[in-house]
Amino acid sequence: MTAVLTVEGLSKTFDMHALGDKRVVGLDDVSFAVRRGEFLAVVGESGSGKSSLLKCLYRTYDPTDGSARYHPEDVDLATCDDRTVMALRDSAVGYTSQFLDEIPRVPAVDVVSRPLRERGTDPEAARERARELLDALGLPEELWDAYPATFSGGERQRVNLAQALAPEPDLLLLDEPTSALDPETRAAAVDLLSTATGEQTTVIGVFHDREVVESVADRVAVLDGGRLQRVVPVAEFSGEVVA
Ligand SMILES: Nc1ncnc2c1ncn2[C@@H]1O[C@H](COP(=O)(O)OP(=O)(O)OP(=O)(O)O)[C@@H](O)[C@H]1O
């Protein structure tokens, strides 16, 4: 197995100074490895640490302890300096949460094509790729040049997912990318995720929908109270803990 990422003892505690220095555990001594092209689904009850795991890997949060070795660049995502974090975000590591970071008065097609244009892709080719992705996700064509600020939750989520997929990152971190989608759109998103990821792109994704997990994942990581309970092949996943 060619590991892309090896996580060891990753932990995150939050010191709540406003609550009399109460400590909240987000993630507790989590270890696992992900191989190239693998799709690892992360599931667990609400508050079990799923988002904290992705945020520690993307460095929205600074982990309190542990390491997350990203082998292609030979860096520790848990401890590398901010400049390395930004460089990796530009070149290799993608992230999307369930909420779109709104940029006022930027049309959907430009929101999606922006990461490609920033990486030097010809602007028209980047927009064409954006239109392909929005089309595959079933966003009505009349919305492609509209501003996402006025979109419904599901429409925004499609823009969000298309934006994350557009640059074909090496490592893609997805936090509930399909939660606001209706069944038909969710199926389109699952198709797109299945084809867009593979040999090159490795995905760690938080999902609440058991059917989605079973459609896209190779293995499933189950978190409980910030601890990793088990990592199992999707065929052995019983699904009872999808919250
Ligand atoms: N910024 C923060 N400050 C304080 N506590 C936090 C913060 N982020 C997460 N936590 C706490 O860490 C624990 C894990 O939260 P996390 O958001 O990772 O869970 P989750 O499994 O993603 O939950 P959900 O499914 O509800 O989104 C929770 O107890 C949460 O309150």
Side-chain angles (χ1 to χ4, degrees), residues 46-121:
S46 179
S48 59
K50 305 180 297 295
S51 295
S52 296
L53 171 62
L54 294 193
K55 286 175 180 170
C56 284
L57 296 176
Y58 195 61
R59 283 290 293 283
T60 314
Y61 291 162
D62 282 333
T64 318
D65 208 351
S67 63
R69 211 79 230 158
Y70 176 61
H71 298 290
E73 304 280 342
D74 197 21
V75 293
D76 180 3
L77 298 180
T79 58
C80 62
D81 60 35
D82 290 351
R83 186 185 289 193
T84 306
V85 169
M86 297 318 288
L88 283 169
R89 288 181 182 183
D90 279 345
S91 64
V93 182
Y95 169 87
T96 182
S97 78
Q98 53 199 127
F99 309 109
L100 181 69
D101 286 335
E102 269 171 37
I103 313 159
R105 286 189 284 283
V106 177
V109 73
D110 286 337
V111 171
V112 175
S113 64
R114 191 173 68 146
L116 283 172
R117 286 182 282 122
E118 285 177 353
R119 288 172 197 205
T121 304

Side-chain angles (χ1 to χ4, degrees), residues 22-225:
K22 189 175 169 234
R23 301 199 102 191
V24 175
V25 175
L27 212 57
D28 185 8
D29 197 15
V30 166
S31 304
F32 63 91
V34 191
R35 63 178 181 276
R36 174 155 301 287
E38 187 173 27
F39 200 123
L40 179 73
V42 181
V43 304
E45 304 283 341
S46 179
S48 59
K50 305 180 297 295
S51 295
S52 296
L53 171 62
L54 294 193
K55 286 175 180 170
C56 284
L57 296 176
Y58 195 61
R59 283 290 293 283
T60 314
Y61 291 162
D62 282 333
T64 318
D65 208 351
S67 63
R69 211 79 230 158
Y70 176 61
H71 298 290
E73 304 280 342
D74 197 21
V75 293
D76 180 3
L77 298 180
T79 58
C80 62
D81 60 35
D82 290 351
R83 186 185 289 193
T84 306
V85 169
M86 297 318 288
L88 283 169
R89 288 181 182 183
D90 279 345
S91 64
V93 182
Y95 169 87
T96 182
S97 78
Q98 53 199 127
F99 309 109
L100 181 69
D101 286 335
E102 269 171 37
I103 313 159
R105 286 189 284 283
V106 177
V109 73
D110 286 337
V111 171
V112 175
S113 64
R114 191 173 68 146
L116 283 172
R117 286 182 282 122
E118 285 177 353
R119 288 172 197 205
T121 304
D122 166 71
E124 205 29 59
R127 286 194 186 93
E128 192 47 41
R129 171 80 182 133
R131 288 184 203 106
E132 278 170 22
L133 285 164
L134 292 171
D135 191 33
L137 287 168
L139 190 77
E141 194 172 340
E142 60 269 23
L143 294 182
W144 296 354
D145 290 315
Y147 303 142
T150 61
F151 287 8
S152 73
E155 288 164 351
R156 279 186 208 199
Q157 199 161 51
R158 281 177 266 182
V159 174
N160 213 8
L161 185 55
Q163 185 191 40
L165 290 168
E168 299 179 331
D170 186 59
L171 176 63
L172 182 55
L173 308 169
L174 301 172
D175 197 348
E176 297 190 44
T178 60
S179 58
L181 304 181
D182 59 65
E184 196 184 326
T185 313
R186 189 171 301 153
V190 164
D191 274 354
L192 194 61
L193 281 172
S194 305
T195 51
T197 59
E199 292 287 296
Q200 285 312 312
T201 299
T202 304
V203 183
I204 303 176
V206 170
F207 293 96
H208 281 267
D209 187 302
R210 178 184 170 163
E211 275 181 34
V212 174
V213 169
E214 289 174 347
S215 304
V216 296
D218 298 306
R219 287 190 300 155
V220 184
V222 181
L223 283 170
D224 184 15

